[in-house]
Amino acid sequence: MEFITQLQKVYTTNANTEQQQQMEAYMRHLFPFHGIKAPIRKQLLKEVIKEHTTFLQEHVRDVVKVLYQLPQREYQYSAMELLDKFARKKYLEEDSELITKLITTHSWWDTVDFISKHILGHYLFLFPSQKRTLIDAYSESNNIWLNRAAILFQLGYKDATNEKELFNQCYKHKDSREFFIQKAIGWALREYGKVQPKAVLSFVKNTPLAPLSEREAIRRL
């Protein structure tokens, strides 16, 4: 695809060895990087998008799948942002398969958190009939990143948050020893606490959460 070829050329040209080493170290050397900081990368992506807007409107899902298989982490970031930009108002019901694939491929907090809030969250807002099946499957999974997504998908809902759903997910995973699950519980509760602080405080008071989850939940209350 010409879009991907051009994007690879632009990212390679703008690679920074020093920043690459810092970024890879920050991500525990789990993924290779070009070493392009986010503001610059987003600007480069924006410039390439301008030349391929029509193509992306029609083929963004195919582009996302290819980008997600490229080694450097910048391509996964770009893939997520492209899907959010071009499919946000045009999600299809069957996109749940692609979303699940993205969450479980090259998984780490940096991609899973964006997908959970901006992609999964918006998809389920558009297709509420899919929520029960999808979130139950995520929550029951042995994959901690799917568990984390089930906890975090309402991050952007604010007043539209389903309180019962949020508290159920937090309660269900409260005994997890996984750092990323404990952190997700605290984060999700803290965000909801911005609109319903009394409800969050009551839940925390009456639920034996892990210390990390409790600390994160009430940190700003």
Side-chain angles (χ1 to χ4, degrees):
M1 300 178 188
E2 185 178 345
F3 169 80
I4 293 176
T5 300
Q6 186 174 346
L7 189 65
Q8 287 181 290
K9 181 178 180 180
V10 169
Y11 281 2
T12 301
T13 301
N14 286 272
N16 183 302
T17 303
E18 182 178 350
Q19 289 176 178
Q20 173 194 352
Q21 294 173 350
Q22 294 174 357
M23 294 166 82
E24 290 178 357
Y26 178 69
M27 296 300 290
R28 302 184 184 180
H29 298 284
L30 292 171
F31 314 102
F33 280 79
H34 277 305
I36 308 172
K37 291 187 175 181
I40 297 174
R41 179 188 59 75
K42 290 181 179 182
Q43 182 59 40
L44 294 172
L45 177 62
K46 183 178 180 180
E47 292 171 0
V48 179
I49 286 174
K50 288 180 182 178
E51 300 180 30
H52 302 275
T53 300
T54 301
F55 172 77
L56 289 167
Q57 289 172 339
E58 298 176 359
H59 302 286
V60 68
R61 291 167 181 81
D62 295 327
V63 170
V64 166
K65 291 175 184 177
V66 174
L67 287 176
Y68 234 75
Q69 297 307 315
L70 297 178
Q72 285 81 9
R73 197 60 164 169
E74 285 88 350
Y75 296 116
Q76 279 104 62
Y77 297 156
S78 300
M80 299 184 306
E81 292 163 8
L82 286 168
L83 189 62
D84 183 44
K85 178 179 178 64
F86 288 98
R88 186 173 182 82
K89 297 181 180 180
K90 301 178 182 178
Y91 281 122
L92 306 173
E93 194 166 320
E94 57 265 32
D95 281 335
S96 60
E97 295 183 11
L98 174 58
I99 294 170
T100 302
K101 183 69 174 177
L102 297 183
I103 293 173
T104 56
T105 302
H106 307 306
S107 306
W108 201 241
W109 62 265
D110 56 336
T111 54
V112 173
D113 292 358
F114 183 96
I115 297 166
S116 299
K117 179 180 179 179
H118 298 284
I119 297 177
L120 175 64
H122 192 67
Y123 168 84
L124 290 176
F125 203 79
L126 294 178
F127 297 102
S129 63
Q130 292 294 307
K131 184 175 71 173
R132 192 71 281 129
T133 299
L134 204 58
I135 295 305
D136 282 353
Y138 284 12
S139 188
E140 294 290 340
S141 174
N142 291 325
N143 185 307
I144 68 165
W145 301 110
L146 290 176
N147 299 161
R148 185 172 168 102
I151 297 167
L152 296 178
F153 79 94
Q154 296 192 89
L155 276 179
Y157 284 18
K158 298 181 180 179
D159 288 330
T161 299
N162 183 320
E163 182 179 291
K164 182 178 179 181
E165 178 73 45
L166 172 62
F167 289 167
N168 281 346
Q169 290 301 325
C170 292
Y171 188 86
K172 184 173 184 177
H173 296 283
K174 65 182 176 59
D175 296 323
S176 173
R177 295 184 179 181
E178 290 286 351
F179 169 84
F180 289 109
I181 298 302
Q182 294 181 6
K183 190 81 169 180
I185 291 172
W187 183 16
L189 292 172
R190 185 172 72 248
E191 285 298 302
Y192 186 53
K194 294 177 181 178
V195 294
Q196 291 292 345
K198 291 183 179 179
V200 170
L201 285 171
S202 178
F203 177 79
V204 171
K205 180 180 178 180
N206 294 286
T207 306
L209 298 173
L212 173 60
S213 297
E214 180 176 343
R215 186 168 60 249
E216 288 293 314
I218 64 175
R219 183 153 56 91
R220 295 180 181 174
L221 294 179

